[in-house]
Amino acid sequence: MDVQKQAVPPHRRQLRIAGGFVLAASVVGVLRLLGREETPAVDSRDLIVDTVRRGDMVREVRGAGSLTPVRVRQVTAEVSARVESLVKHNGEPVTSGEVLLEMSNPDVRLQSLQADQQARQAQLDLFTLSTNYANQRLSGESQIAGLESQLVAAQQEADAADTLFRKRLIAQSEQRVKSATAKEVTARLRIERERMTLLASAIDSQLAVQQAQVVQLRAIAANQEAKVRSLSVRSLEAGVVQDLQLQLGQWVPEGSLLAKIIQPGTLKAVLKVPESQAAEVSIGQAGYIAIRNQRLRASVTRKDASAQNGTVTVELEFQEKLPPTAVPDLAVEGYIETERLRDVLFVGRPAYITTSAPLGIFVMQRGSSLAERRSVQFGRTSISFVEVAKGLRVGERVILSDMTRWSNARTLRVH
């Protein structure tokens, strides 16, 4: 027997259709929420995005440093002394020989007086020795003159005795006495002349020694006098005073730095370049120095042969006039061009870049707000740019920011 089906009222059918639509909308909403959770969203304002381009890429190294005068003359203390007055101060111009400060040391002045007295005494001793030698020489010459006169008389008497003896007018004994007297005077004259020669040699040696003593003591006295004069510290050349940090009454040890005299118009840049980058720097390379939003052309003039504390010191000479804001010890940043790559594919340098292995980089999809992770191989690097070896094309936009937070995500939604 057939069971008769009851017809569904129209209002119930409408309710069932509406319920189906609500269920379908709920499923679609849930799926959309699940899709959003799988694709993280990031704020575009927090990202650094750059475009891949082709052209010439300049490789540079960067170093921080300061401006230093090309010529610096240090003024040091020649003796230990106490500061009595400061005539000049930092930043003031000075001329060559102008007094910078006055110092005092009573011991230095006393030593100068003693050295001067010793030099004068040595000079007096030299004069006394010369006078004595002159007296002895005159006495000896007088004695020699007397002996020469006696020798003439004795020789004449001996000759006369010989003549008389031959004529048998005097005895032989008398003739022998006269001859012996002449020989005695001759011997005395010879001895006296030899004595004068020895005396002259000895006196000359004594005079030479005493003269050397005088010269030495005069040099010591002059040195001590120079130390006294050095208590009035003077500038050795014209320039501007710098690093004069002394206080009145301060005791300054010998050899201490008192001040510096600089030439403010001639400055150079001294940079500290990381040792990992310094290997590519060489003398003559071009670069520029950033000074208060200005870029001034410069070139490398010197490079240290060794590294200290992980950096290498590099000096650059400016190729154009410095602005008035350029002063000694001003902190600056320098950039040195090490290589210029022709017609290469490059992009801005991403954070945490490595050239030894491929790096996962988020690349913006064309016409979409999505960014997809892609494996990219980079080549040679610079401060701001890096060469693209493989994985990117011209015109693609790349996220350069540190995306370590999204290391597990394949895509990102940028809003």
Side-chain angles (χ1 to χ4, degrees), residues 99 119 200 244 291 313 341 350:
V99 177
L244 182 56
I291 302 178
T313 301
L341 305 179

Side-chain angles (χ1 to χ4, degrees), residues 160-172 174-175:
D162 288 342
T163 301
L164 294 175
F165 175 71
R166 283 193 300 269
K167 293 181 179 181
R168 299 184 182 279
L169 296 177
I170 61 173
Q172 187 178 9
E174 186 177 355
Q175 182 267 337

Side-chain angles (χ1 to χ4, degrees), residues 118-166:
Q118 292 175 0
R120 291 177 183 274
Q121 183 62 45
Q123 183 66 43
L124 179 60
D125 294 342
L126 176 62
F127 177 76
T128 301
L129 184 61
S130 300
T131 303
N132 292 337
Y133 168 65
N135 290 333
Q136 293 180 16
R137 181 176 58 81
L138 293 175
S139 178
E141 290 178 354
S142 175
Q143 190 169 356
I144 289 174
L147 290 175
E148 288 177 346
S149 177
Q150 293 178 19
L151 178 59
V152 172
Q155 190 66 45
Q156 290 177 352
E157 290 180 359
D159 292 342
D162 288 342
T163 301
L164 294 175
F165 175 71
R166 283 193 300 269

Side-chain angles (χ1 to χ4, degrees), residues 303-361:
K303 172 187 174 183
D304 278 359
S306 59
Q308 292 185 353
N309 300 324
T311 62
V312 176
T313 301
V314 178
E315 293 184 1
L316 287 84
E317 180 183 33
F318 288 97
Q319 303 297 324
E320 52 187 314
K321 185 178 180 181
L322 298 177
T325 55
V327 295
D329 297 329
L330 178 67
V332 297
E333 280 193 345
Y335 301 82
I336 303 172
E337 180 180 330
T338 60
E339 186 180 7
R340 185 175 291 269
L341 305 179
R342 302 292 184 181
D343 192 26
V344 296
L345 196 66
F346 66 96
V347 70
R349 180 169 177 164
Y352 301 103
I353 186 173
T354 175
T355 58
S356 59
L359 183 65
I361 298 294

